[in-house]
């Protein structure tokens, strides 16, 4: 691909999402450091990582595959965010904001996938 992944709006938005996830999980109980907090962080990190990896692939079809992986990881964060809410680690306001931001990233991923498939 001729465009650097760092120039992609979806990559930048997902990097901001990772930062938000890390800030929020820093307030989780110590007992969750290697549990839910770690799982949520890894899933969030996987989103921009897959975008970057896919952008370096030679064929568009490969890039699209990694964008699907990124979308799957993003949806994984939604479940983990809901678990964090149900356990009382985050408020409904924080949950709603994270999901809303994630849904915007999902729309961007879907748009990029569509543009690459056309």
């Amino acid at each position: 691909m001729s465009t650097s992944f760092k120039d992609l709006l979806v990559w930048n938005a997902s990097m901001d999402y990772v930062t938000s996830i890390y800030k929020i999980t820093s307030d989780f109980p110590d007992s969750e450091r290697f549990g839910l907090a770690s799982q949520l962080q890894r899933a969030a990190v996987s989103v921009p990582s897959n975008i970057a990896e896919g952008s370096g692939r030679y064929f568009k079809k490969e890039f699209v595959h990694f964008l699907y992986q990124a979308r799957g990881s993003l949806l994984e964060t939604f479940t983990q965010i809901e678990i964090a809410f149900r356990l009382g680690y985050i408020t409904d306001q924080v949950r709603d904001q994270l999901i809303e931001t994630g849904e915007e990233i999902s729309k961007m991923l879907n748009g990029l996938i569509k543009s690459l498939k056309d």
Side-chain angles (χ1 to χ4, degrees):
M1 305 296 319
S2 60
T3 303
S4 169
F5 64 88
K6 291 181 180 181
D7 295 329
L8 295 171
L9 292 176
V10 67
W11 181 82
N12 283 287
S14 62
M15 289 294 289
D16 291 342
Y17 190 68
V18 170
T19 302
S20 296
I21 294 292
Y22 266 82
K23 287 178 181 175
I24 288 159
T25 55
S26 70
D27 292 332
F28 282 18
D30 288 341
S31 62
E32 288 295 351
R33 187 173 353 147
F34 301 110
L36 184 59
S38 176
Q39 185 78 10
L40 182 50
Q41 291 165 356
R42 285 192 317 256
V45 165
S46 184
V47 178
S49 297
N50 275 296
I51 294 167
E53 185 172 356
S55 73
R57 298 299 172 138
Y58 188 74
F59 297 105
K60 286 183 182 181
K61 184 177 179 179
E62 292 176 293
F63 190 8
V64 169
H65 170 77
F66 279 92
L67 293 174
Y68 282 131
Q69 293 292 108
R71 192 172 64 184
S73 294
L74 180 64
L75 295 175
E76 185 179 344
T77 68
F78 291 1
T79 296
Q80 295 157 352
I81 289 164
E82 183 62 28
I83 292 167
F85 170 72
R86 291 182 183 201
L87 291 172
Y89 300 158
I90 59 174
T91 65
D92 57 342
Q93 184 180 15
V94 169
R95 176 196 60 189
D96 294 349
Q97 181 58 54
L98 287 171
I99 297 299
E100 182 180 322
T101 301
E103 287 173 345
E104 289 300 314
I105 294 168
S106 182
K107 288 176 187 174
M108 288 187 211
L109 284 168
N110 290 339
L112 183 53
I113 289 166
K114 185 178 181 333
S115 73
L116 291 168
K117 289 177 90 175
D118 289 343

